[in-house]
Structure formats: structure tokens, C-alpha cells
Amino acid sequence: MKFLNSASIKNKTVLVRIDVNEPLDAHQHLIDDFRIQAILPTVKFLHKNGCKVILCSHLGRPDGSWDKTLSLKPIAERLATLLELKFTQSAKSVTSFPADHLVFFTGNIEDGQTKLALDKVSCKNVVVLENLRFYKGEDENSPFFAKRLAELADVYVNDAFAVSHRASASVSAITKYLPSYAGPLLEKEIRNLDRVLKNPAHPFVVMMGGIKMADKAKTLQNLGKQADIVLLGGGLANLILKSTGVNIGKSLVDLNEEALAKQLLQNYKDKIILPKDAVVANKKMTPASIRATPIYDVKDHEVILDIGPQTILEYARILKTAKTIVWNGPMGHFEVKPFHTGTMALARIIGAVSSGRAFGVVGGGETATAIRQAHQASYIDHLSTGGGAMLEYLAGNKLPGLVALG
């Protein structure tokens, strides 16, 4: 794989695939800018090399339709603020641009006007293209759409690890039409995840939560080969508990995944640790119904919503002994208080032991949110921008976006 820091890119026009799939509220205002912040070093590196920078990304799942609520305009505006540049939006009839430093947001790349406009843009500017998934060719990995993108630039850079597990036109097909490189953010992801896969320091502790076993079973199977201990919470733990005959009340699990749970437990029964107690409530989560209980005493009408205090203490004790930690998935329904307690407590423990005693890797959208809410992001050795991509990579699978750069 060729990396950007070894490429000859002076004064080139560089198309960079980024992932700024950030959450928006009902008024199309940004809720978070974690992924936008993550690509700033790449943009600054390219600017120092005199490059004209074209950024392209998706947002949400418009499925080939022009859904204005999923426009990348708020992303471009935030990027301009972070880069301390002016923001401007194109018009089809534009023939020249001011020489000031700008973040320039442009529209439909298929109408020919964008290419004409880009020819006028100075290397002092950053160009942000409209949502790639407005075009059906993106998700179809269309060679035709990839060629249209390639016509805009001299060089292609993939700095979007979070979508590199998908074969889409801006990730895979485009590499056939331009000299292609892995960007600094993508390189950082690979090097840190490879450290976990190939040379983890022991004790190596994997902590995993969330809902769907199917999304994480292969990753757990692969990491379990090297991990010393696997701590489970959330729906994953509930499903395994149910498979062993424990009553989990009305807790949501996918019974179609029970065979996966049993197989995982069979393979790593000496490594997997399950919650000993839980915080439960009725389905309406009324305050009077909330209680902590041993895991064997969950009532038929109750829902498991967090790990309990004894489990928090046990998991914290284990994490404090670790030399390598990988965490993906919250321990419970952390979006709603007081069911955030287990996730927040363990986030602080992981932050406390990372960047020193342990090499800490955290990934997944909800997990990254939890780490930031616990004010631990600056202490984590590697906070991955990928959720599904991180799981796929740690499962040992080949990612189409990385294969395309090989």
C-alpha cells in the first residue's frame, strides 16, 4: 500500500475521500464534529504542499435521491470555521473566484459546471463536493461515476477508514483511474489496529457491548484467539446469558443469533466474563421500577438496561491490570440516565490506564461518543473513526477500500 507522506504531490489537485458522516438535528445543525476534526491534519498537510484540495464524503443514506436534509453544506460550513477560512457556495454560472482562502461548497458534479468551476479555484481553497450518495453510482461502485470523480483531480487519497469496508465508487473503483494513496488518518488506523492484531502486550482485554451479535461475532472469534479476557455487556451479554438458561425478562435479543452466542461461549468459555448483576426496570423505565439485582434474579416483566455495581467493580479491576485494551459497544442503554453509569464508569477506567499502563483502542459510533462524554478522548491511544470498518478489520477480513490501494 502506498502512503500519502511518500507521494510526490507538490502543487497537484488532490481528491480526498473522507468520512464526515456526522449526526444532524432536525434543523440540519451539526450535533458532533469528531470526524471533521479528525481530517484537519490531512487538509493542512496538503495545503503545505501547495495542493488544491477537493473533499468528498457521504452523509446518511439518501439512496441516490437528492435529499436536501442530508446536504453536506453544514459540514462544509463547520470545516471552514475549524480551518479559519471563509465559506462560500457555488452557482452554476460562476466563472471566477476570489483569491481569498475559502472553503468552497459545490453542487452536482455530473452537470459539467463543477469541473469548469474547479478549474478556476485557487490552490488556496478547499473544495467540498455535495453528498456522494445523492448519486446512485456511488453505492453501485459504478466505473462511470468513478471516472467523473477522477476527472476532477490529479491524485486520489483515501482517508476514510470508516467506509473502507464498502466497495463504493469513491472508495474502490476510483483507484483504477488516478494514482492512489492511503491518507494519514487511514495510515494511523491501520498501524494502530495492526498493533492489536499482530503484537498485543498482555494481559490483553477485549470489552464489547452493543446489541447485535451478528455484527461482532467474527471480531470476537478472531480477537479471542489472542485475548486473555473478554468482558461482555449490553445485548451481547444478554443473548449469551439467555443461551445458558438465565432469565433476561423482556430484554431485547435476536433469537436467530443464539447459535452464534453458544458457539462463542463454547470456544472461549475460559476467557468470557459475563455480568454478575444488572440494573433493570420495567419497559416504560419508570423511576420506581429501577433496581440493581443479581443477574439470576431478573423478573419476567423487567428489562436489563445496564451492568450492575458488582460487575462494574469486577470489570474495572480487570481493566486496571491490562496492557492492551480493545473496546467496542456500550455496556447498556447509556443514552438514558441512570443507565449510563456502567458505560461511563468503565470509559473513565480505560482513559485512566491508556497512554501509559495500557495501549487503549476504542471504536464504534456510540462508544466514541461515550468516551468523549466521559472526557477521556485525549487519553485514549487510538480512538478509531470506524465502527463497522474497525470490526471488519479486527475480524481479519479484507476491506475493499484497502485492497484497492494495494
Side-chain angles (χ1 to χ4, degrees):
M1 188 181 296
K2 294 176 289 186
F3 295 101
L4 180 61
N5 59 15
S6 62
S8 177
I9 55 167
K10 284 281 185 183
N11 303 317
K12 301 283 189 181
T13 299
V14 182
L15 178 69
V16 188
R17 180 41 159 115
I18 59 175
D19 182 355
V20 286
N21 187 25
E22 302 282 25
L24 303 176
D25 65 18
H27 303 287
Q28 285 75 59
H29 296 146
L30 273 172
I31 297 171
D32 197 358
D33 66 358
F34 165 59
R35 289 178 170 177
I36 303 174
Q37 296 263 10
I39 58 96
L40 297 181
T42 301
V43 175
K44 292 175 181 178
F45 173 81
L46 292 169
H47 265 174
K48 286 182 180 178
N49 282 274
C51 297
K52 183 187 298 185
V53 181
I54 305 172
L55 303 178
C56 60
S57 180
H58 73 282
L59 182 64
R61 295 185 175 276
D63 298 321
S65 63
W66 282 74
D67 182 349
K68 292 182 179 180
T69 66
L70 294 174
S71 172
L72 278 178
K73 183 181 177 183
I75 306 291
E77 290 174 327
R78 179 59 179 159
L79 182 66
T81 299
L82 293 172
L83 290 171
E84 298 181 340
L85 304 178
K86 296 178 181 178
F87 173 83
T88 189
Q89 189 169 355
S90 71
K92 290 183 179 180
S93 60
V94 166
T95 57
S96 63
F97 299 91
D100 302 282
H101 293 256
L102 297 171
V103 168
F104 185 81
F105 179 63
T106 189
N108 191 337
I109 67 169
E110 293 184 328
D111 63 6
Q113 294 296 318
T114 296
K115 180 65 170 67
L116 180 65
L118 287 170
D119 290 340
K120 303 286 185 179
V121 173
S122 140
C123 65
K124 297 178 180 180
N125 299 333
V126 176
V127 176
V128 179
L129 302 182
E130 184 55 284
N131 191 338
L132 291 170
R133 288 186 180 169
F134 284 177
Y135 309 91
K136 291 184 178 180
E138 168 66 359
D139 283 340
E140 293 171 354
N141 200 21
S142 160
F144 175 77
F145 183 63
K147 285 180 184 178
R148 296 304 298 265
L149 286 173
E151 289 170 357
L152 304 177
D154 306 310
V155 173
Y156 167 75
V157 172
N158 181 351
D159 220 16
F161 175 74
V163 292
S164 290
H165 61 312
R166 303 188 185 281
S168 38
S170 67
V171 173
S172 182
I174 193 169
T175 60
K176 298 176 182 177
Y177 307 109
L178 286 175
S180 300
Y181 302 92
L185 185 58
L186 181 58
E187 181 180 2
K188 178 183 176 185
E189 294 274 5
I190 293 168
R191 295 198 189 284
N192 283 298
L193 296 181
D194 277 352
R195 180 171 170 179
V196 168
L197 287 174
K198 298 175 181 178
N199 190 33
H202 293 270
F204 176 16
V205 178
V206 174
M207 188 168 80
M208 204 161 285
I211 300 297
K212 290 192 67 64
M213 177 65 73
D215 292 343
K216 303 185 180 183
K218 288 183 179 179
T219 306
L220 284 168
Q221 292 282 12
N222 197 44
L223 290 179
K225 296 171 186 175
Q226 295 199 65
D228 299 288
I229 298 175
V230 177
L231 308 175
L232 294 182
L236 303 188
N238 294 343
L239 184 60
I240 292 182
L241 287 166
K242 182 174 178 59
S243 76
T244 64
V246 174
N247 181 24
I248 61 168
K250 298 292 185 182
S251 305
L252 289 177
V253 292
D254 189 341
L255 296 180
N256 294 324
E257 298 176 351
E258 194 167 350
L260 284 174
K262 289 180 177 179
Q263 185 65 53
L264 185 67
L265 186 60
Q266 180 180 337
N267 290 350
Y268 298 115
K269 59 184 178 182
D270 296 329
K271 296 182 178 183
I272 289 176
I273 297 180
L274 295 165
K276 290 180 169 55
D277 62 345
V279 176
V280 299
N282 60 24
K283 292 189 75 171
K284 293 183 178 180
M285 296 186 284
T286 53
S289 71
I290 299 171
R291 69 187 185 103
T293 179
I295 203 68
Y296 57 77
D297 193 33
V298 176
K299 307 303 181 186
D300 290 344
H301 69 282
E302 291 178 322
V303 179
I304 298 173
L305 294 164
D306 195 10
I307 55 175
Q310 294 305 313
T311 302
I312 293 172
L313 287 172
E314 181 182 21
Y315 284 15
R317 177 185 59 78
I318 293 168
L319 289 167
K320 287 176 182 178
T321 69
K323 296 295 183 185
T324 303
I325 298 170
V326 173
W327 178 27
N328 178 281
M331 294 293 98
H333 191 42
F334 87 103
E335 301 91 342
V336 178
K337 295 180 180 181
F339 311 117
H340 68 312
T341 303
T343 299
M344 291 291 105
L346 297 181
R348 294 185 182 99
I349 294 294
I350 293 173
V353 300
S354 295
S355 299
R357 278 188 285 172
F359 179 69
V361 174
V362 175
E366 290 182 326
T367 321
T369 297
I371 280 287
R372 296 198 303 280
Q373 287 181 359
H375 307 292
Q376 300 301 309
S378 61
Y379 304 110
I380 302 301
D381 295 279
H382 182 58
L383 186 56
S384 179
T385 56
M390 174 181 159
L391 291 173
E392 291 280 337
Y393 195 86
L394 292 178
N397 296 332
K398 292 183 178 181
L399 276 57
L402 306 189
V403 172
L405 295 171

